[in-house]
Amino acid sequence: MLAQIIGAVQPVLEWIKLWWGYLTVLAAICAAIYGKAILPVLRRRRAKREKQEKQQQDIVDMLADIKGQIRGLSDNVATLQHDRLQQAYIRYMKRGWCESDTKESLVAMFDDYTASGRNHLYRNYKEDIMNLPEVEPGRSWGARTN
């Protein structure tokens, strides 16, 4: 009886042994194809993606630096505007008059200064400058004297 079972199992074992060999060869072929053809492509793609990510990060860092520099320049310009506006206010208020083109320039600078979120000047700065006569008091050159 044991011989009959072994005789019946023998062809199945031979079949498994044969297919095991086929599967081993097939696995070796797949490993060779993966190692020689697919893996290098995947490595190149990964390297390219990493390079692009590095370049993008470098660009983001440079933009952050530029943004900081622009913010610093904007603060410097605002400081200069503040100084110029204060000097002009003192000068023209003492003088008692201001030319129309200078008024326009100062008002534009004041508007730009306050539009940038800064307002460290006298509250009525703009009105005071605009209310100054455009010619020296006592002279009449055809200009508005208020």
Side-chain angles (χ1 to χ4, degrees):
M1 172 93 135
L2 187 58
Q4 287 179 341
I5 294 175
I6 292 175
V9 173
Q10 187 78 23
V12 173
L13 291 176
E14 289 296 324
W15 182 84
I16 290 174
K17 185 176 168 185
L18 177 69
W19 281 100
W20 185 257
Y22 291 153
L23 288 176
T24 303
V25 169
L26 183 61
I29 292 170
C30 288
I33 291 171
Y34 179 78
K36 297 293 182 185
I38 296 173
L39 193 58
V41 171
L42 293 176
R43 285 182 181 153
R44 281 193 304 270
R45 283 185 181 175
R46 183 181 318 131
K48 183 178 179 181
R49 185 181 67 240
E50 289 171 356
K51 181 180 177 183
Q52 286 176 338
E53 289 171 356
K54 171 95 171 73
Q55 289 173 340
Q56 288 173 349
Q57 186 59 43
D58 290 345
I59 290 170
V60 167
D61 293 343
M62 286 189 322
L63 289 175
D65 290 343
I66 291 169
K67 185 177 179 183
Q69 291 172 357
I70 289 173
R71 188 176 298 120
L73 289 174
S74 176
D75 290 342
N76 291 341
V77 167
T79 301
L80 292 172
Q81 283 178 324
H82 181 266
D83 185 54
R84 171 67 178 118
L85 289 167
Q86 275 186 324
Q87 287 177 2
Y89 184 82
I90 293 168
R91 177 176 185 226
Y92 293 112
M93 293 309 284
K94 280 183 181 179
R95 189 167 115 175
W97 62 281
C98 181
E99 297 88 357
S100 62
D101 58 336
T102 305
K103 283 183 185 182
E104 291 173 9
S105 175
L106 290 173
V107 168
M109 187 183 299
F110 178 78
D111 291 342
D112 184 53
Y113 180 75
T114 55
S116 65
R118 295 169 175 85
N119 193 13
H120 305 98
L121 294 170
Y122 177 60
R123 194 175 294 234
N124 296 327
Y125 176 91
K126 188 175 179 178
E127 294 85 18
D128 288 351
I129 292 291
M130 289 304 294
N131 288 332
L132 286 173
E134 294 179 358
V135 295
E136 187 175 352
R139 292 198 180 181
S140 179
W141 294 339
R144 182 171 64 90
T145 57
N146 286 354

